[in-house]
Amino acid sequence: MPQSQEPASRWLGEAAVGNRLTVRLLAGGVGPSGGPAMRDIVGTLESKTAGPSLNPTSCWLMRRKDGTVELVVVDTIVAVKVLSGPPPTSDQRSALGISDLELEQIAAKGWQPLASEQLGGWTLRASGGFTGRANSVLPLGDPGLDVENALQTVRDWYLGHDLPALFQVPLPLAVPLDDELSTRGWMAFNPTLVMVADIAALLMQRPTSGELARVQFHPEPSAAWLRTYNYRGKALPVGAREVMVNADQPVFASLVDQTQSRLVAVARGAIYKRWLGITAVDVIESERRKGHASRLMAALFAHAQHEGVRHVYLQVAEDNQPALTLYEGLGFTAHHRYHYRRATKVDP
């Protein structure tokens, strides 16, 4: 983390209670380079509170993974890095009565890699680099090896696929592994919410009368569908189609502008165990903010319900506020979260 001598008051608003953080502090004395000595704390920010009566400086109460707590004086903070956001509430986590593990297993079936290998309870996945989910380790159990050997196996496997070693870490399910990776210098990025909803409840809020006629459903994407969907603002890379059709029951939805006979919005669904997973939602730029995404998704809910599906999930980046607003407005709630980690240095 960058070192800074800016006023400590800036850190008071840097993180929310419940965030998992790395905090760099002044340790007192002189460090090896001649500058101030530093130390790091990795843990969960449990509260922001006034300090002891003899020291009125504001403090943070942080809890490490081993359960120990430390009162951090804000005036000693040099830098803060947010590792993950606050965990969902117990009500959110129990939504629809499915555990993090079960939902991650279902979601993995909805977006499958082109190549995979099991390492105990870890699934190593590779698909030529198209999407993090299809090119990362999904750790849903014990790898059957000590951490050092397991990580070396991961590196070797991804080297053989000409890809960087990457983990998709579900939280709070894999917090112990997440802490281990953090300690070893694996950088966290792209925090993502997994959101869920009951399809019948969604359709009660938004009837689909007249919308199904405008939406086409196919088990494979048409050339027009592929042209309409932009992956991170760009055209799809080579091999993307192969990844998107690689599911037990994929469905590609297209919203048609009947006056101009063109696609204005697309989405991909994947059905597994009475769950619908939604991915690849996009609206052409000239037609955005007209409600097309809501109409398309409502039609997709109705189509899935006709197929016997009861529940729906999707994954959305925590910093994608327009998408979060859309999904929360439709009736989705947060179930759990995940982020990715990649190695930034050789493990100690």
CSV table of all heavy atoms in Angstrom, one decimal, residues 44 56 87 116 130 151 199 263:
chain,number,residue,atom,x,y,z
A,44,THR,N,-11.5,-7.5,10.4
A,44,THR,CA,-12.8,-6.9,10.1
A,44,THR,C,-13.0,-5.7,11.0
A,44,THR,O,-12.7,-5.7,12.2
A,44,THR,CB,-13.9,-7.9,10.4
A,44,THR,OG1,-13.7,-9.0,9.5
A,44,THR,CG2,-15.3,-7.3,10.2
A,56,PRO,N,-8.6,10.9,23.8
A,56,PRO,CA,-9.9,11.1,23.1
A,56,PRO,C,-9.8,11.0,21.6
A,56,PRO,O,-10.8,11.1,20.9
A,56,PRO,CB,-10.2,12.6,23.5
A,56,PRO,CG,-8.8,13.2,23.7
A,56,PRO,CD,-8.0,12.1,24.3
A,87,PRO,N,-20.5,-8.3,5.2
A,87,PRO,CA,-21.3,-9.5,4.8
A,87,PRO,C,-22.8,-9.1,4.8
A,87,PRO,O,-23.2,-8.3,5.6
A,87,PRO,CB,-20.9,-10.5,5.9
A,87,PRO,CG,-20.5,-9.7,7.1
A,87,PRO,CD,-19.9,-8.5,6.5
A,116,SER,N,-11.4,-28.1,-17.1
A,116,SER,CA,-11.5,-28.1,-15.6
A,116,SER,C,-10.8,-29.3,-15.1
A,116,SER,O,-10.6,-30.3,-15.7
A,116,SER,CB,-12.9,-28.0,-15.1
A,116,SER,OG,-13.6,-29.2,-15.4
A,130,PHE,N,-11.7,-15.9,-21.2
A,130,PHE,CA,-13.0,-15.2,-21.3
A,130,PHE,C,-13.8,-15.4,-20.0
A,130,PHE,O,-14.2,-16.5,-19.6
A,130,PHE,CB,-13.8,-15.7,-22.5
A,130,PHE,CG,-15.2,-15.2,-22.5
A,130,PHE,CD1,-15.4,-13.8,-22.7
A,130,PHE,CD2,-16.3,-16.0,-22.4
A,130,PHE,CE1,-16.7,-13.3,-22.8
A,130,PHE,CE2,-17.6,-15.5,-22.5
A,130,PHE,CZ,-17.8,-14.1,-22.7
A,151,LEU,N,-1.3,-24.3,-3.7
A,151,LEU,CA,-1.1,-23.1,-4.5
A,151,LEU,C,-0.1,-23.4,-5.6
A,151,LEU,O,-0.2,-22.9,-6.7
A,151,LEU,CB,-0.6,-22.0,-3.6
A,151,LEU,CG,-1.7,-21.4,-2.6
A,151,LEU,CD1,-1.1,-20.3,-1.9
A,151,LEU,CD2,-3.0,-21.0,-3.4
A,199,ILE,N,-39.1,-16.3,-8.3
A,199,ILE,CA,-39.6,-15.8,-9.6
A,199,ILE,C,-41.1,-15.5,-9.5
A,199,ILE,O,-41.6,-14.5,-10.1
A,199,ILE,CB,-39.4,-16.9,-10.7
A,199,ILE,CG1,-37.9,-16.9,-11.1
A,199,ILE,CG2,-40.3,-16.8,-11.9
A,199,ILE,CD1,-37.6,-17.9,-12.2
A,263,LEU,N,-32.8,-6.1,-32.9
A,263,LEU,CA,-32.6,-6.4,-31.5
A,263,LEU,C,-32.2,-5.1,-30.7
A,263,LEU,O,-31.3,-4.4,-31.2
A,263,LEU,CB,-31.5,-7.5,-31.3
A,263,LEU,CG,-31.8,-8.8,-31.9
A,263,LEU,CD1,-30.7,-9.8,-31.4
A,263,LEU,CD2,-33.1,-9.4,-31.6
